[in-house]
Amino acid sequence: MQECMAMHWDDLRFFLTVARAASFSAAAKELGVNQSTVSRRLAALERRLGTLLVTRHATGHLLTPVGRDLAQAAEPIAAEIGAVLRQVEGRDAQLGGVLRVTCVEMMIDRFLAPHFARFCREHPGLALTLQASMRPLDLMRSEADVAIRVSESPPPPLVGRRLCDFALAVYGATSRQAGAPDLPRPDRLDWIGWADDAGNARVILDTFPSARIVHEVDGLVALSAMVREGAGISALPCYWADRDPGLSRLSGAFVPRGIGIWVLMHPEVRHAARVRAFVDMVTRALLANRAAFEGRLGGSTPG
């Protein structure tokens, strides 16, 4: 029965359906294909095994002795595979197991954490693993099930949706006394940029080509803190900075290079219940606060 072990599950499934059915047409109906497909698949299997499994008659079919031996040996295998598949399907139909999500830390801190916590409370059988990083995790290698990313366009193999623009504006420190922008002298507005020339070009210089970047920071939290303390001005995400009383907006909102917020999934888990439920929850939360992410609310607080 080495040939049997070498067969694909689909080969075994077609053969066993034919073996159990009263006719090729009945097998085709059960498999949801046409009769010629069943006949063709069975003939291909017989060629690979080098033996006849079924003898065809006008009124039906009969298993050959080899066919009967194969069916008898294959039935326990099919039953075991079916049980495993039902178990897996049942598990994916439940909101349980481990859900791996990657999202930049700033978005978790200033917006998504309450939504994540509520989702976990509503589904106590689910274990959430958060990877708070800007590192581009490869969903195709199953490093995460869901990614919430700010991007111009994600890699094409991933499946997901662009939910909204991701707007920035220029911010400076707010004076604690006057409640107004506390800026350097008008003739020398120092900018705080990123420790990355490509990032500075994309986020600042494309929109403000005359900006004089004096200081550089490699993280958004640190960048916001430096602006808040009056070390300079910078471009910050509107949903993040508009709700910070220590920051005042100094420009209109803009969307550098058309970046947006994407919710992306690994194709193999997109239909799992836990993934669908989580993506639906995140999508509703982000769309409900679209105006904040697109910079249309000023100092309002997303929720």
Side-chain angles (χ1 to χ4, degrees):
M1 289 293 97
Q2 289 182 344
E3 293 90 349
C4 177
M5 297 302 293
M7 285 190 297
H8 296 298
W9 160 241
D10 217 34
D11 296 330
L12 196 61
R13 183 170 64 92
F14 267 73
F15 167 70
L16 286 176
T17 305
V18 170
R20 298 175 192 132
S23 66
F24 276 83
S25 59
K29 184 176 181 180
E30 182 177 340
L31 290 165
V33 298
N34 57 48
Q35 187 172 335
S36 62
T37 299
V38 174
S39 181
R40 186 173 62 252
R41 292 288 295 270
L42 184 58
L45 175 59
E46 290 175 327
R47 284 195 300 271
R48 281 201 301 278
L49 296 178
T51 187
L52 193 66
L53 299 174
V54 176
T55 56
R56 282 80 165 170
H57 299 281
T59 57
H61 66 272
L62 292 174
L63 295 179
T64 66
V66 175
R68 285 195 298 271
D69 289 343
L70 178 58
Q72 185 177 3
E75 283 288 4
I77 298 173
E80 186 174 347
I81 291 175
V84 171
L85 291 176
R86 286 191 297 273
Q87 182 179 2
V88 170
E89 290 168 357
R91 184 179 62 191
D92 275 349
Q94 300 170 0
L95 288 178
V98 177
L99 179 66
R100 296 165 300 170
V101 178
T102 174
C103 180
V104 291
E105 192 166 20
M106 66 165 193
M107 193 172 289
I108 298 173
D109 177 51
R110 290 291 176 96
F111 178 69
L112 286 173
H115 300 282
F116 288 175
R118 183 165 59 249
F119 185 79
C120 291
R121 287 193 298 270
E122 292 172 354
H123 307 290
L126 185 140
L128 183 63
T129 297
L130 280 178
Q131 299 163 346
S133 169
M134 295 183 71
R135 183 172 69 88
L137 293 176
D138 188 350
L139 268 68
M140 298 306 295
R141 291 205 306 266
S142 298
E143 293 184 57
D145 301 315
V146 180
I148 303 164
R149 281 288 180 258
V150 175
S151 174
E152 298 168 48
S153 58
L158 304 180
V159 293
R161 179 181 174 189
R162 187 185 191 278
L163 297 180
C164 60
D165 289 340
F166 188 76
L168 285 73
V170 180
Y171 292 85
T174 299
S175 169
R176 291 184 176 84
Q177 289 76 24
D182 183 13
L183 298 175
R185 295 199 314 269
D187 60 337
R188 50 164 307 189
L189 294 178
D190 292 345
W191 282 74
I192 307 172
W194 297 90
D196 169 23
D197 291 341
N200 286 331
R202 182 172 60 252
V203 175
I204 297 175
L205 297 177
D206 278 2
T207 306
F208 304 96
S210 61
R212 191 168 65 90
I213 299 174
V214 176
H215 312 295
E216 293 182 341
V217 180
D218 68 352
L220 182 63
V221 175
L223 177 59
S224 298
M226 292 290 286
V227 174
R228 191 183 304 113
E229 296 303 321
I233 62 174
S234 192
L236 298 171
C238 293
Y239 90 93
W240 167 283
D242 282 342
R243 64 191 303 185
D244 189 329
L247 298 172
S248 292
R249 195 194 286 198
L250 307 176
S251 77
F254 62 96
V255 182
R257 300 192 185 182
I259 61 173
I261 300 178
W262 293 77
V263 178
L264 304 167
M265 294 164 283
H266 189 292
E268 293 182 2
V269 299
R270 64 183 298 186
H271 298 300
R274 64 187 186 280
V275 173
R276 291 199 310 270
F278 182 84
V279 168
D280 288 346
M281 178 275 296
V282 169
T283 298
R284 288 193 304 270
L286 290 170
L287 289 179
N289 290 275
R290 183 171 183 170
F293 286 101
E294 295 185 343
R296 294 185 278 115
L297 291 185
S300 298
T301 300

